[in-house]
Amino acid sequence: MKTIRIWVYDGILASGVAATIDVLNAANHLSQREGTSQRERLPRLTWRVESLDGQAVKAASGQRIDVDGKIDPRQHADAILLTAPFFSDMDAFIGQRDLIGALSTALKAQHQAGAVLAAYCTGNYLLAEAGFLDGRPATTHWAKAADFARRYPAVELHAQEVITEQDGILSGGAVTSYLNLAVRLVGLFAGEKLAAMTAKALLIDMNRVSQASYVSLLDDHGHADPLVARAQQRMAATLQEGCRLGELADYLAVSERTLNRRFKQAIGIAPLTYLQNLRIEVAKQLLESRPIRLEAVSLRVGYEDLSTFRQLFRLKTGLTPREYQQRFARREGRG
């Protein structure tokens, strides 16, 4: 029997505990149902929920999360799953140096003993703080990608990926990637056949390989540059006409070089990249909001050439415009 230890602390998302246990429990039930011998019908996975002091923790929602015991680096584990803290500003979580230090020490001991380490969403910050992600691929919540990359430049961040895996280190993306991680752990310790059966039974999409289609391309960078703000407003106002950077620079009475420099200082990207992102975000909103022809969407965001629009859309979102519309378009309720 394989043991998976789920480590918790105050401020986590409660669903990461309950949903993981549901996946492991479902795998055990399916294994018993499908087993042909007495041995095959035995539970194949066991789990424990643990905290540093062995006491219950409080989730971000205020929900009490009971635990099975205390985190002990010396206790055998086949895998450690780090739940994700729910913090808008990760400084508040990372600033808890006693917590971070104790978890890092315990993780190092478990990994040296052969345990697989898994984390998802902001839980990846814990793996990075302990140094496990240096020189290795990792992902995290797409909205935290810029912050994560700034804090941990030695990590090979693949922010579009749903799961990365190397050297016994599993990294999951945004929040519900805990489902994909749990199924992956089933596959590692109980076989890929059972993992596939579990995913099907629980309707977990293991084919999602990218977070790109969920990413907002227009982050609020909170800059205070009035020139860049005017440029952004002008881009939005002239989107359908096909805003050109030379014309935009003339409108703002600056050189293109100055416009590029100020944009990169304020937002971190070039104005052309911002303009492309703006066009795709508007296109996404149109595709989500109502039935609309792709030709109309393309023209609305300033692309007369439909093939160019399709190529850019897929580059930015990982989906074709039609695939995006089929997945995210809001459906009117039926009476």
Side-chain angles (χ1 to χ4, degrees):
M1 188 177 295
K2 300 297 184 179
T3 300
I4 298 166
R5 299 183 183 274
I6 304 169
W7 287 0
V8 299
Y9 14 82
D10 287 337
I12 62 167
L13 289 162
S15 58
V17 180
T20 298
I21 292 174
D22 283 343
V23 171
L24 302 178
N25 187 55
N28 277 343
H29 277 280
L30 288 168
S31 177
Q32 293 172 9
R33 189 184 72 185
E34 296 294 320
T36 57
S37 67
Q38 184 64 34
R39 182 175 180 178
E40 288 175 334
R41 287 195 293 271
L42 292 174
R44 304 174 71 175
L45 302 165
T46 188
W47 54 86
R48 283 175 57 88
V49 180
E50 299 172 336
S51 64
L52 281 170
D53 60 5
Q55 301 298 311
V57 301
K58 182 180 289 186
S61 62
Q63 180 179 345
R64 174 190 169 99
I65 306 294
D66 290 321
V67 303
D68 300 307
K70 185 177 180 178
I71 291 173
D72 185 345
R74 298 166 297 179
Q75 288 294 320
H76 170 75
D78 292 286
I80 302 295
L81 177 66
L82 296 168
T83 47
F86 186 62
F87 283 79
S88 57
D89 180 0
M90 288 303 293
D91 285 336
F93 183 73
I94 300 301
Q96 302 176 72
R97 299 316 303 175
D98 289 344
L99 171 71
I100 301 300
L103 289 171
S104 295
T105 298
L107 285 169
K108 289 173 183 176
Q110 288 287 0
H111 192 58
Q112 287 173 359
V116 169
L117 305 184
Y120 61 91
C121 196
T122 48
N124 288 291
Y125 282 70
L126 290 169
L127 290 179
E129 285 288 320
F132 285 108
L133 300 182
D134 288 355
R136 291 190 174 106
T139 185
T140 189
H141 192 294
W142 54 264
K144 294 293 185 184
D147 177 68
F148 193 91
R150 177 182 59 80
R151 291 178 189 268
Y152 311 113
V155 179
E156 296 177 13
L157 184 62
H158 299 269
Q160 292 187 339
E161 300 295 323
V162 174
I163 288 183
T164 66
E165 180 176 352
Q166 184 175 309
D167 302 328
I169 309 293
L170 276 63
S171 172
V175 180
T176 59
S177 66
Y178 53 60
L179 294 171
N180 299 73
L181 269 184
V183 173
R184 179 64 188 132
L185 291 174
V186 173
L188 284 174
F189 300 124
E192 295 300 334
K193 180 180 177 181
L194 183 59
M197 290 169 54
T198 303
K200 289 178 181 178
L202 297 181
L203 204 65
I204 299 172
D205 183 6
M206 296 303 291
N207 291 319
R208 57 174 184 165
V209 295
S210 174
Q211 300 187 90
S213 57
Y214 298 89
V215 175
S216 172
L217 299 173
L218 297 178
D219 292 334
D220 181 8
H221 296 270
H223 71 83
D225 189 321
L227 175 71
V228 174
R230 287 179 60 211
Q232 291 173 296
Q233 293 168 1
R234 182 66 176 175
M235 286 179 182
T238 61
L239 197 63
Q240 187 168 0
E241 290 80 2
C243 179
R244 297 182 182 276
L245 293 185
E247 295 172 352
L248 179 60
D250 290 342
Y251 173 80
L252 297 170
V254 297
S255 67
E256 288 189 47
R257 182 177 179 180
T258 296
L259 181 59
N260 269 284
R261 176 176 55 81
R262 296 276 288 271
F263 239 91
K264 289 180 179 178
Q265 287 175 343
I267 296 181
I269 58 176
L272 178 58
T273 301
Y274 178 87
L275 178 58
Q276 290 176 336
N277 291 348
L278 175 62
R279 285 170 164 162
I280 298 305
E281 280 299 317
V282 172
K284 287 163 64 176
Q285 293 170 16
L286 291 170
L287 292 169
E288 291 171 16
S289 63
R290 59 184 181 275
I292 186 171
R293 296 180 61 195
L294 296 186
E295 291 83 358
V297 175
S298 181
L299 289 172
R300 171 63 184 82
V301 297
Y303 288 104
E304 294 184 1
D305 184 358
L306 181 58
S307 65
T308 299
F309 167 67
R310 282 190 175 124
Q311 290 173 9
L312 181 63
F313 193 96
R314 184 160 194 167
L315 177 66
K316 296 286 187 179
T317 70
L319 299 173
T320 67
R322 184 64 67 204
E323 288 169 341
Y324 186 90
Q325 188 175 44
Q326 291 171 346
R327 181 175 296 186
F328 296 105
R330 294 189 285 274
R331 307 288 187 236
E332 296 294 332
R334 294 182 180 180

